[in-house]
Structure formats: structure tokens, C-alpha cells
Amino acid sequence: MRARKHRYRQAFTLVELLVVIAIIGVLVALLLPAVQAAREAARRTQCLNQLRQMGLGVQNHVSALKIFPTGGIYPWPQIEDFSSGGKPFGVDKQGLSWAFQILPFLEQNAVHNLSTTAQITSTAVPSYFCPSRRPPTKNPDNGAWLMDYAGFAAVPSRAQVGDTLFDANVPSNRWCTNAYGFWGVKTYDNVWDPKPSADLDKSRQYTGFWGVISRSSYYVAPGSRGATVKRLDYPVVKPQTITDGLSRTAMLTEKRLKPANYLEFNWDDDRGWSDGWDPDTMRSSACRPQPDSNDDIGGSNADGLTPGSAHPTAFHVAYADGSASAVNFEIAIETLIQLAHISDGEIGPTL
């Protein structure tokens, strides 16, 4: 019998194996940043689309009610104080946030019609979270679902306060640190018991509200269920009020947060999307926009009032006409102030 001839495949040598591994490593090193960049680009697009949907929700609110939503009245409002027979009050009396008020125009009627504060705060609205930052997240202490977007609280313009005051405070970020104008007054004050502007004018403290999202004028003492009511005279914003142009006036923005608090909470990110006039749902145009970081940026007020995002170079803004765009972090602070002001006579840039 003839012996069979066997063919043996020659194995890789160690050197060849190391070369293959090195080539694979180089390819992974080259491809991974591109994959990560593509994923971030997709997340940015989703974030921008979410903010655009909120802008369109505001526009539908205006079309139906002829008025822009307000930013609520004070921190941590209870729906029981701002509803009757289980039905939420309209925009003229609503103390909860703009994000609560536009829910029916985002196909979220079921959430808008929840009758208790516990039900509202324990319900997530997934589109209120930026995919670049975190999934839908709730405060582990109180169970409230949080939020990554805010209304713009606009501050007075240069023409309203004069060059001396403006230049002494704005470039140094002092207005941001002092929360100038955020509550309608010159310092971080008037939170829980807001006063009519006429009373504040007597002490020369009233700065006014100059943004598309203005503070509510219907005060109900917390927990009183309507037993203590006070009507203020803060402005009601209608399309014709915005003389600078709907497409040139910013009304919503992303929030700057500390990554260390993404999955926890901080004082400016603890009540979430239903919160009233509070840094959870409002940010100041006097604050220089910042990307997310764990750095302190000029005191606790600045940390809590600053717009920004989890994106590396820009944050997203929605305008009063329902459009939205990315705005570079390098935007001049005076330009941002002009962009958020409804009637300063300075037309914001096309971004």
C-alpha cells in the first residue's frame, strides 16, 4: 500500500502574529475616534431635534392661546395650588414651568392632566433629556425626574441700564454671579414671595422681565390651595410683544451641568421639568455659556444659572418662531443678552 502524503499548513510565526495585532490596533485607534465622532454627531442631531420640537410646541401653544407660556412662579410649585377639580389652570394662572404648560402640544396630554404633584414629579418626559449627557434620570432623594433644557431669563440691555453699569458688570460675569435680573430684581432675592413691580420700583430694585418666557403673575401661597392669592403685574408676552423679531429672539436653551451630578442632583437640578421659576427650568442670558465640567465658574449662582451643554463646542437654542440652531460657546456675552431680549432694538444675529 502506498503511504499517504499529508500536507501541513505552516503556522504563523510569532513575529507575523505580532505584526497582525499591531495592524489591528492601529486600525482600531484610527477608527474609534471616527466612530465616537459619528455617534456624538447623531446625539447632537437628536438633541437639536428635541429642542426644535419644544420650540414648535411653544408655537402651537401660541397659536391656540395667543400667548407664550410663562416660566411659572416660584421653585417647587404644587399642582394642587394651580388647578381646580383636577384640571390645570391656564397660562394666566399656572405656576408650574413652561415645560409643563407645553405638554399638550407635545402629545403629552396624559402627563399634563395628572392631578397630583407626586404623580407629575414621578413621571419622566424622555425628550427633556439630552442624549449626549444622560438617559432619563431622576433625583434619588425625592424621585423627581430631571431635565436638561431651560427657558432664557433675559436681563436688561445696555441701553436700559447705561454704559457705566453694563460695562462694570457684564464683561466680568458679575451679573451672572449676583443673579442680576433673574428674579426680576437686582440680586438673588424675591424667590418665594414675589412682589408687584410697583412695590419693587419704590426701592429701585425691579429690573423687569425681558425674555420670551416671563415669570408668572399669579401667586398662590405654597400649600394654601388658593387660600392666599396675589396678582402681580409681570408682563404677558405675545408675538407682537417681541419687537426684535421672532426668528431673532432666543427663548429656550440647554443647561450647563456638572458631570459629577449627572446621575444625582444639585440645587439647580433637583426638582426637574415641572419646577417653576427656578434654575431647574430657567437659565440667565447674563451668564457666559459653558460646556459641562466639574469646575466652579464663579460662585454657586453662576454654576446654577449658566446655559451650556454636554456637547464639546456649542449649545442649542430654540427661537420664538419655533426654529432651533447650535450656538458656539465663543459667542460674545453682550450678543447673547441681545439675542434673548425681546425688545432692546438690537436684532440678534442669524446663527
Side-chain angles (χ1 to χ4, degrees), residues 304-333:
L305 297 179
T306 297
S309 75
H311 314 303
T313 60
F315 64 109
H316 295 130
V317 165
Y319 300 87
D321 68 342
S323 63
S325 70
V327 177
N328 195 286
F329 285 122
E330 300 304 317
I331 184 173
I333 186 61

Side-chain angles (χ1 to χ4, degrees), residues 44-60:
R44 285 199 307 269
T45 299
Q46 182 182 343
C47 176
L48 180 61
N49 286 337
Q50 289 179 174
L51 197 57
R52 185 178 290 116
Q53 289 303 311
M54 292 177 224
L56 293 176
V58 172
Q59 272 297 301
N60 290 333

Side-chain angles (χ1 to χ4, degrees), residues 97-350:
S97 71
W98 61 269
F100 172 80
Q101 294 173 40
I102 68 172
L103 286 175
F105 306 97
L106 297 177
E107 299 182 348
Q108 294 281 353
N109 295 73
V111 181
H112 185 260
N113 292 332
L114 293 174
S115 59
T116 70
T117 300
Q119 290 173 329
I120 289 174
T121 56
S122 62
T123 301
V125 180
S127 62
Y128 284 167
F129 291 88
C130 171
S132 292
R133 174 176 287 151
R134 56 187 177 182
T137 302
K138 63 180 177 180
N139 182 337
D141 284 356
N142 62 15
W145 288 90
L146 304 177
M147 183 176 197
D148 289 338
Y149 304 95
F152 255 129
V155 296
S157 66
R158 175 185 291 275
Q160 288 173 298
V161 301
D163 292 340
T164 301
L165 180 61
F166 195 91
D167 290 334
N169 290 278
V170 172
S172 64
N173 219 36
R174 193 175 303 162
W175 269 8
C176 176
T177 303
N178 296 339
Y180 183 92
F182 184 80
W183 302 101
V185 290
K186 294 181 179 179
T187 58
Y188 202 97
D189 194 5
N190 197 35
V191 179
W192 291 102
D193 186 13
K195 297 175 176 61
S197 62
D199 292 346
L200 294 169
D201 276 335
K202 293 176 182 177
S203 60
R204 297 183 179 179
Q205 289 294 308
Y206 185 60
T207 61
F209 295 96
W210 303 101
V212 177
I213 307 297
S214 183
R215 195 174 184 182
S216 173
S217 280
Y218 190 76
Y219 171 85
V220 179
S224 72
R225 304 299 186 268
T228 303
V229 173
K230 180 168 53 179
R231 278 283 192 177
L232 309 173
D233 56 353
Y234 299 154
V236 173
V237 180
K238 300 179 180 179
Q240 57 267 33
T241 313
I242 306 173
T243 58
D244 286 350
L246 300 182
S247 65
R248 300 293 184 90
T249 306
M251 64 177 177
L252 305 178
T253 181
E254 294 187 81
K255 294 168 19 179
R256 184 261 186 188
L257 294 176
K258 292 185 174 181
N261 297 327
Y262 278 176
L263 303 180
E264 299 179 7
F265 75 98
N266 200 24
W267 67 273
D268 60 318
D269 187 43
D270 55 357
R271 177 58 179 267
W273 61 266
S274 66
D275 202 358
W277 195 269
D278 197 27
D280 273 60
T281 55
M282 297 297 300
R283 292 294 162 118
S284 175
S285 67
C287 296
R288 194 170 290 109
Q290 301 278 340
D292 286 3
S293 76
N294 289 320
D295 297 334
D296 292 328
I297 54 174
S300 60
N301 289 339
D303 278 332
L305 297 179
T306 297
S309 75
H311 314 303
T313 60
F315 64 109
H316 295 130
V317 165
Y319 300 87
D321 68 342
S323 63
S325 70
V327 177
N328 195 286
F329 285 122
E330 300 304 317
I331 184 173
I333 186 61
E334 185 167 0
T335 302
L336 185 67
I337 289 173
Q338 293 169 353
L339 199 64
H341 200 295
I342 61 176
S343 59
D344 64 344
E346 298 289 341
I347 306 300
T350 301

